[in-house]
C-alpha cells in the first residue's frame, strides 16, 4: 500500500526556535527526535510570511505570484482550476482529512479534503460553524474561547482560562488521533494536522508556563541598523509604531509564554506518533513538520510576521520518510538547499508516487538540485518589502523610500549588520539587485527604471488608531454577526 502522510503545520513558529536548531532554552524533544530520524531543511522560507498566502502556497504548490496573494486577502478563493494538495491525494485513492486551521474562504471550503474539522481562531463572522467552538459549547463553555481577554494579534499574555482538556492544542491532537483511528483501512490516508499556536493569543497552559518561569531568557537580537527609530525604512517605522514595545521583563515573560505554547505542541505530537505506532501505521507513514511563517518576538524591536528577516520568514521543515527509505538523505541529515513552502506539495506527492500537476511551481525535494536564489515578497504599496537571497547573502528592498539592506547570513545569521553601504559590498548588491528585478511583477514594475530600483517617496507616518486592539475577539455566544469578508483584521 502507498504510504500514509501525516502533514503537521504550526502557526507563527520561527525556524530557529527548536532545540536541534541550536536554541538551548526551548524544549522540543519530540521534534528534535524527528530531526534525528528524518531530514531537516534549515534554509526553508515562507515566500510571503503571512498566514493566508503561505497556506495557499502549501495547498497549491504555487508561488504567491501564481496563486494571486502576497498581501493577505481574506476573501480570496483558491485559484480556479488549480489542483490542490488534498485533491491530488484524493484522486490517487487517499482518504484525506484536515484537522485544525485551514484559513481559506469560504471557511468550510474543503479544498479537496474528504472532511475538514476546523478550529479557525474565532472567524465565525466569515461563516461557519467552527468545530472547536461547537466542542466548547458541548463542554458547557459556549462562546468562552476568548474570555482570557488576549488578542489574536498582540503580545500580551496570560495562562489558559478553561480546563486543560479544552485547550485548542489538546482538542486538535485528540481530534486528529480519532481521525487516524477512524480511517478507512482499505485506503492510504493523508492527515493534515494544523495547530493554531504559537500564533497569538498567547495563552499557554499554566503547567507549561511554569516550566519556563524561572528560566533565564536570552535578550532580543539588536543590530547596528535597528537601534535608531528615525533611520529605519518607512515600513519598519510603521511596524514598530503598530505594536506595543515591551519592557525587558515583560518581553522575557512573553517569550516564556510563547515557548510554553511550542513545548505543549511538541509534547502533544507524541500522542499522534503513539497513535500511529499502536495502529501499526508508523512504519508506513511519512511525517512532514513545518510552519506557515515565523515571528520576530521582539528581535530588532519588531513583533509579528510580514517582515523578510530570518525570524519572520525562515521556518522549520523536517521530513521523515517511511521506515527503510532515505529518499531525502540519511537519517539525521541536514540539507542546506534553499527551500520554499511551495516545494512541499510536489515533495509529498513525489514521495507517495503521485504525479505532480503542471500547476505546481515548486520542486520535489527528493529530486530538485540547489536553487541559485530564493525570492520573497510581502504586501503592496507603502507596506511592501521584497527579498532575494542566495547561498550566503540576503538583500531586502523597501520600495517606499527605495531603501536596501544587505546581510551576510554565513557570518551574521542574526542580521545584526547591514552591509548595503559598505565599500566592499557593491558587487554583491548589484548582483542581487539584478536577481531581484528579474523576479518583480505587477505594480512593482512601476518602481523600476531601466533595470534600476527607484521606488517611490515615503508617505507620512500616520498615527495608529488601534481602538480595536489588533482585531480583539469578544464573547462568542450568541454567535458573532456576519461581517465583510474582505475586511482585514490586525494589519498595521
Amino acid at each position: 500500500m502507498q504510504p500514509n502522510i501525516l502533514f503537521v503545520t504550526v502557526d507563527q513558529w520561527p525556524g530557529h526556535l527548536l532545540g536541534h536548531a541550536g536554541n538551548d532554552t526551548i524544549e522540543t524533544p519530540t521534534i528534535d527526535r524527528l530531526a534525528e530520524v528524518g531530514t531537516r531543511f534549515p534554509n526553508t522560507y515562507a515566500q510571503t510570511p503571512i498566514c493566508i498566502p503561505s497556506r495557499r502556497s502549501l495547498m497549491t504548490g504555487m508561488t504567491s505570484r501564481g496563486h494571486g496573494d502576497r498581501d493577505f486577502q481574506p476573501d480570496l478563493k483558491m485559484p480556479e482550476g488549480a489542483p490542490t494538495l488534498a485533491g491530488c491525494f484524493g484522486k490517487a485513492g487517499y482518504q484525506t482529512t484536515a484537522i485544525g486551521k485551514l484559513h481559506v474562504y469560504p471557511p468550510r471550503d474543503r479544498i479537496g479534503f474528504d472532511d475538514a474539522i476546523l478550529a479557525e481562531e474565532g472567524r465565525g463572522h466569515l461563516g461557519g460553524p467552527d468545530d472547536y467552538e461547537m466542542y466548547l459549547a458541548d463542554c458547557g463553555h459556549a462562546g468562552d474561547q476568548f474570555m482570557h481577554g488576549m488578542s489574536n494579534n498582540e503580545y500580551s499574555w496570560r495562562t489558559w482560562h478553561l480546563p486543560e482538556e479544552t485547550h485548542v492544542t489538546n482538542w486538535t491532537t485528540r481530534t486528529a488521533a480519532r481521525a487516524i483511528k477512524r480511517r478507512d483501512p482499505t485506503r492510504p490516508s493523508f492527515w493534515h494536522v494544523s495547530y493554531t499556536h504559537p500564533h497569538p493569543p498567547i495563552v499557554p497552559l499554566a503547567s507549561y508556563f511554569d516550566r519556563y518561569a524561572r528560566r533565564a531568557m536570552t535578550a532580543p537580537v539588536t543590530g547596528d541598523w535597528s537601534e535608531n527609530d528615525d533611520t529605519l525604512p518607512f515600513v519598519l517605522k510603521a511596524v514598530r509604531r503598530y505594536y506595543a514595545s515591551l519592557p525587558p521583563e515583560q518581553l522575557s515573560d512573553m517569550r516564556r509564554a510563547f515557548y510554553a505554547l511550542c513545548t505543549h505542541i511538541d509534547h502533544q505530537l507524541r500522542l499522534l506518533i503513539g497513535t500511529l505506532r499502536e495502529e501499526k501505521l508508523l512504519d508506513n507513514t511519512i511525517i512532514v513538520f513545518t510552519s506557515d511563517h515565523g515571528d520576530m518576538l521582539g528581535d530588532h524591536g519588531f513583533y509579528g510576521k510580514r517582515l523578510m528577516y530570518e525570524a519572520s520568514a525562515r521556518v522549520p521543515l523536517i521530513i521523515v520518510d517511511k521506515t527503510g527509505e532515505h529518499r531525502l538523505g540519511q537519517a539525521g541529515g541536514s540539507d542546506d538547499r534553499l527551500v520554499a513552502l511551495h516545494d512541499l506539495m510536489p515533495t509529498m506527492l513525489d514521495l507517495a508516487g503521485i504525479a505532480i500537476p503542471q500547476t505546481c511551481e515548486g520542486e520535489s525535494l527528493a529530486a530538485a538540485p540547489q536553487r541559485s536564489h530564493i525570492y520573497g515578497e510581502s504586501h503592496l504599496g507603502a507596506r511592501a518589502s521584497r527579498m532575494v537571497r542566495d547561498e550566503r547573502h540576503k538583500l531586502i528592498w523597501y520600495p517606499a523610500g527605495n531603501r536596501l539592506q544587505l546581510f551576510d547570513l554565513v557570518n551574521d545569521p542574526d542580521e545584526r549588520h547591514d552591509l548595503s553601504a559598505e565599500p566592499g559590498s557593491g558587487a554583491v548588491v548589484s548582483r542581487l539587485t539584478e536577481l531581484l528585478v528579474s523576479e518583480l511583477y505587477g505594480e512593482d514594475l512601476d518602481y523600476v527604471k531601466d533595470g534600476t530600483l527607484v521606488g517611490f517617496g515615503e508617505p507620512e507616518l500616520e498615527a495608529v488608531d488601534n481602538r480595536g486592539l489588533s482585531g480583539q475577539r469578544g464573547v462568542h455566544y450568541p454567535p458573532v454577526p456576519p461581517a465583510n469578508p474582505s475586511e482585514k483584521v490586525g494589519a498595521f
Side-chain angles (χ1 to χ4, degrees), residues 242-287:
Y242 181 79
Y243 290 104
S245 179
L246 298 177
E249 288 187 357
Q250 292 184 31
L251 175 56
S252 292
D253 271 351
M254 181 277 288
R255 286 185 163 196
R256 290 183 177 96
F258 193 95
Y259 285 24
L261 289 169
C262 295
T263 299
H264 183 194
I265 292 172
D266 179 277
H267 289 180
Q268 290 285 296
L269 289 177
R270 304 176 85 86
L271 296 172
L272 297 184
I273 293 169
T275 301
L276 290 171
R277 185 188 68 81
E278 292 174 339
E279 296 291 321
K280 307 295 190 259
L281 299 173
L282 186 57
D283 287 348
N284 194 39
T285 297
I286 295 167
I287 302 173

Side-chain angles (χ1 to χ4, degrees), residues 326-341:
H326 300 285
R327 290 170 289 180
L328 296 166
Q330 290 301 310
S334 178
D335 189 322
D336 292 335
R337 279 180 290 176
L338 298 174
V339 176
L341 290 181

